[in-house]
Amino acid sequence: MIQFEPLTTANIGIIVKMMQDFYGIDNYPIEKTITTSLFQEFIADQKLGIAFLLLNTEEGKKEEVIGYFILTFIFSFEYKGKIAFLDELYIKEGFRGKGIGSKTIFFIKEEVKKLDLQLLYLEVEKHNENAQKLYLANGFEWHNRKFMKYKSQ
């Protein structure tokens, strides 16, 4: 069984370790000290978003953190209010392909409704076909725009 637990400052070390694993898949850089500090800021200000740990609570086994997701909030005039960006969704390798992603997406969509968010954006790596299939099977659709970025530093 999967349960979702809001991230607390006590669990920052756990999520940072998983982020290092997640970022390692595509060789993205991550600085543990900066990420830890960012999580402290993020948790302290609920206007920034929410983060949850995914817990495997299978009967007869020790409760285990098997993933996480982070929603960050944005205000959009185009979409008439607050929207969210699914900044990260990570499930440990041994737990993928078991329906946990779909259960997590269902939970996220319920949170989106509770929080009265108008839209949920996400990005997915071109090579990550499994994630693309997961999102498409759960009601997401390709956006007709392309993301661009400007990095100030």
Side-chain angles (χ1 to χ4, degrees):
M1 186 170 163
I2 300 302
Q3 291 184 349
F4 303 93
E5 180 179 296
L7 182 67
T8 64
T9 54
N11 295 327
I12 290 175
I14 295 168
I15 198 170
V16 170
K17 172 61 179 122
M18 284 187 293
M19 285 181 91
Q20 290 174 303
D21 296 340
F22 186 28
Y23 285 29
I25 293 170
D26 291 304
N27 297 313
Y28 290 147
I30 183 170
E31 294 182 39
K32 186 177 176 182
T33 305
I34 292 172
T35 303
T36 298
S37 177
L38 289 172
F39 270 118
Q40 290 167 345
E41 178 183 353
F42 185 78
I43 292 169
D45 187 350
Q46 294 179 343
K47 290 182 180 179
L48 295 177
I50 57 174
F52 281 81
L53 297 176
L54 284 60
L55 304 175
N56 182 17
T57 58
E58 198 173 324
E59 196 171 321
K61 292 189 178 182
K62 184 180 176 189
E63 185 175 276
E64 178 182 6
V65 178
I66 60 164
Y68 69 92
F69 74 84
I70 303 168
L71 290 180
T72 58
F73 300 148
I74 305 163
F75 190 86
S76 169
F77 284 89
E78 179 180 355
Y79 292 107
K80 300 172 182 63
K82 194 162 62 168
I83 65 174
F85 186 78
L86 179 55
D87 193 37
E88 301 199 3
L89 168 56
Y90 174 72
I91 299 169
K92 289 182 177 180
E93 190 171 343
F95 295 91
R96 296 178 197 153
K98 298 179 179 187
I100 296 168
S102 291
K103 289 176 185 172
T104 303
I105 295 296
F106 179 82
F107 180 82
I108 291 169
K109 291 185 336 187
E110 290 298 308
E111 288 297 305
V112 165
K113 288 178 194 171
K114 279 191 230 175
L115 296 166
D116 198 30
L117 300 169
Q118 306 302 311
L119 181 83
L120 178 60
Y121 272 122
L122 63 82
E123 62 183 349
V124 62
E125 296 290 339
K126 289 179 183 179
H127 67 82
N128 195 342
E129 293 179 11
N130 289 334
Q132 292 172 34
K133 289 176 188 175
L134 169 69
Y135 296 129
L136 290 169
N138 283 282
F140 286 81
E141 39 187 69
W142 293 110
H143 197 287
N144 60 350
R145 298 178 183 166
K146 289 189 176 192
F147 276 102
M148 298 176 78
K149 69 180 182 179
Y150 167 77
K151 202 169 180 181
S152 66
Q153 295 181 17

